[in-house]
Structures are given as structure tokens and as C-alpha cells.
Amino acid sequence: MADELFRALADPTRRRILDELAERDGQSLFEICTRLVTKHGLGLSRQAVSQHLAVLEAADLVRTRREGRYKFHDLHAQPLEHIVTRWLRPSPPEDTP
């Protein structure tokens, strides 16, 4: 799972998508595309953004939900929290002789 997570985070466009979802969860594909164009100047097709979202979903960083005919995307930060606690947790106290 860590390999998929790091692969997903390696791409700057995917990191921008995560930034946008961190700022405002529950966005549709259209909303994400619009924010990428207006805020970051990224003129990606909806298909390209959809493919980036699929990679983020495979890494469990984005979760989707359907409401009627709309699909909304939410940030799921738990995999990131797992990585942080794996390597950045406080060191255990050293035993003194």
C-alpha cells in the first residue's frame, strides 16, 4: 500500500488535487477541473483529471460518493497519518545503565 501512496504523491498535479480537496471536500470532477484551471493555470482535460483521481483512489487518499447522478470526491488523510506515525513518532526513551 505504501508504494501506491508514494506513487500517488509523486505527481505535482495529484498533490494539487489533494490540496484542493483539503481546502474544500466534496467536489465534483467539474469543480476540481475548474479550480485547477483558475487557481493553478492547469488546463487538463476532464479525462486526465479523472485518471489522476483514480490513482489517488487506488492509494486510498480520495474516496468518492454518489448522490444522484453526481460523484463527489473527499480527501481521506488516514494513509498519510499512518506514514507520519510510522517514521515520525517519538523515539522510545533509551534505557540508562
Side-chain angles (χ1 to χ4, degrees), residues 1 6-7 11 21 23 26 29 31 39 41 46 49 54-56 60 65 68-69 72 77 80 82 89 95:
M1 187 65 167
F6 287 117
R7 179 175 163 253
D11 186 274
L21 291 174
E23 190 174 306
L29 176 61
E31 291 170 309
K39 290 177 71 177
R46 287 185 342 166
V49 174
V55 172
L56 292 168
D60 200 27
R65 59 189 160 79
R69 54 181 239 188
F72 297 97
L80 294 172
H82 176 73
R89 67 178 171 255
D95 292 333

Side-chain angles (χ1 to χ4, degrees), residues 18-56:
L18 292 175
D19 288 340
E20 291 305 319
L21 291 174
E23 190 174 306
R24 194 173 65 95
D25 249 351
Q27 295 184 59
S28 68
L29 176 61
F30 176 78
E31 291 170 309
I32 294 169
C33 290
T34 301
R35 290 172 71 101
L36 290 175
V37 168
T38 58
K39 290 177 71 177
H40 305 286
L42 296 175
L44 300 171
S45 68
R46 287 185 342 166
Q47 180 64 32
V49 174
S50 183
Q51 289 173 350
H52 283 298
L53 285 166
V55 172
L56 292 168

